[in-house]
Amino acid sequence: MDLIFLGTGTSVGVPMIGCHCPVCSSKDPRNSRRRTSLYVRTERTAFVIDTPPDFRQQVLDFGIERVDAVVFTHAHADHIFGFDDIRRFNTLQNCVIPAYADAETLADVRRVFSYIGNSPSPKGLYRPLVDFVEIGGPFAVGDVKLTPLDVEHGCKMTGYLLEQGALRIGYVPDCHSMPRETLERLHGVDVMILDALRYRPHPTHICVEESLALLAKIGAKRSYLIHLCHDVEHAELESRLTSGIYVSYDGLRVRLT
Ligand SMILES: [Zn+2]
Ligand SMILES: [Zn+2]
Ligand SMILES: [Zn+2]
């Protein structure tokens, strides 16, 4: 299984519009962060978790030419506003593409993208063709099993446990707190990808220190911090992390066997 980090930034992205701080002006490409999204590929399937406003440029830059499904975590603008661009994959693959989300997220996505359905436009307009699927428990995309995980983020937010054979990956990009049941499900995963917005506390996200404390409880073999704002300078933070914990960056590819 390959994981490709299409975006690792918080809702406004980095650089922020009109900001000239050292991180926003950094020459290190790892400090340039588009909105958070993960591409998951196996020999049998390929899907994306969230379609940020940067989705089109992300798939172009990272050579993504196949999307068998879209999986949503929640309906904040930074996670859904690139959804319309899924229509190119309808054309490339000549099929309707399923989009999975919890009931609340699905209602918001359908409200925002009210013109999207699973049949062609009667006027011949170029619209996405999507089968919306409300998730109520574990489901499969190809050979990957996805288990939805409850996460508190000031709104309904669904993290995922991805499993393929013995491989287990946890994905929780936006998080303010994690119920005990979610922590237990993630315990000992091979890879954990977790929110770590910034150093100061935030009302709906965990900060770096809180993220590291959660990661210590989860005990993943490898962990990646994600959904970072311009307070985080890549090399500076990574130099202070213990082994097995990394700062993610756009375009990072992780191959798992
Ligand atoms: Zn977000
Ligand atoms: Zn800045
Ligand atoms: Zn959010």
Side-chain angles (χ1 to χ4, degrees):
M1 183 191 285
D2 284 323
L3 307 176
I4 303 177
F5 290 70
L6 301 183
T8 57
T10 191
S11 61
V12 289
V14 183
M16 282 206 301
I17 294 170
C19 185
H20 305 284
C21 77
V23 174
C24 287
S25 321
S26 170
K27 297 268 188 290
D28 184 342
R30 298 172 303 175
N31 282 322
S32 192
R33 304 178 181 118
R34 282 170 286 191
R35 271 60 68 88
T36 291
S37 173
L38 184 73
Y39 185 68
V40 180
R41 182 168 58 202
T42 72
E43 276 175 16
R44 284 182 44 198
T45 193
F47 61 93
V48 69
I49 308 183
D50 294 329
T51 53
D54 309 303
F55 185 61
R56 172 179 168 278
Q57 203 58 53
Q58 289 165 317
V59 300
L60 286 171
D61 286 355
F62 302 126
I64 306 302
E65 296 191 352
R66 179 170 191 91
V67 173
D68 295 314
V70 176
V71 179
F72 287 113
T73 58
H74 64 307
H76 281 166
D78 57 319
H79 294 259
I80 69 169
F81 273 16
F83 188 41
D84 184 81
D85 285 311
I86 206 71
R87 60 193 158 143
R88 277 297 300 149
F89 296 98
N90 294 129
T91 305
L92 289 170
Q93 297 159 206
N94 193 29
C95 67
V96 177
I97 292 173
Y100 299 87
D102 62 68
E104 277 176 64
T105 301
L106 201 61
D108 281 342
V109 170
R110 297 193 80 154
R111 177 175 52 77
V112 173
F113 296 97
S114 58
Y115 59 94
I116 296 183
N118 62 6
S119 55
S121 154
K123 293 181 183 159
L125 302 175
Y126 190 19
R127 300 192 306 203
L129 290 170
V130 173
D131 271 330
F132 288 104
V133 184
E134 182 182 317
I135 55 175
F139 60 100
V141 176
D143 53 347
V144 181
K145 178 185 170 193
L146 293 95
T147 302
L149 306 169
D150 266 340
V151 176
E152 197 278 307
H153 170 50
C155 70
K156 174 76 177 170
M157 155 74 209
T158 298
Y160 292 95
L161 174 67
L162 314 180
E163 292 173 282
Q164 186 207 31
L167 268 182
R168 296 166 69 233
I169 294 130
Y171 186 67
V172 178
D174 296 52
C175 174
H176 184 242
S177 66
M178 221 179 247
R180 184 214 289 255
E181 192 182 325
T182 294
L183 258 179
E184 284 168 2
R185 280 198 179 273
L186 290 170
H187 191 258
V189 287
D190 295 282
V191 175
M192 182 67 213
I193 302 165
L194 183 62
D195 187 2
L197 182 73
R198 64 184 189 189
Y199 300 107
R200 288 171 295 130
H202 185 280
T204 61
H205 287 272
I206 45 177
C207 62
V208 171
E209 199 180 317
E210 294 166 314
S211 183
L212 295 177
L214 269 180
L215 289 174
K217 287 185 192 166
I218 291 166
K221 295 193 179 92
R222 250 192 285 180
S223 302
Y224 295 91
L225 307 180
I226 200 168
H227 211 290
L228 307 165
C229 86
H230 71 157
D231 292 349
V232 176
E233 204 284 320
H234 183 97
E236 192 278 322
L237 175 56
E238 193 150 274
S239 71
R240 293 192 283 117
L241 297 176
T242 53
S243 81
I245 303 181
Y246 307 93
V247 183
S248 67
Y249 57 89
D250 292 18
L252 169 64
R253 288 166 197 252
V254 176
R255 171 152 286 189
L256 302 161
T257 48

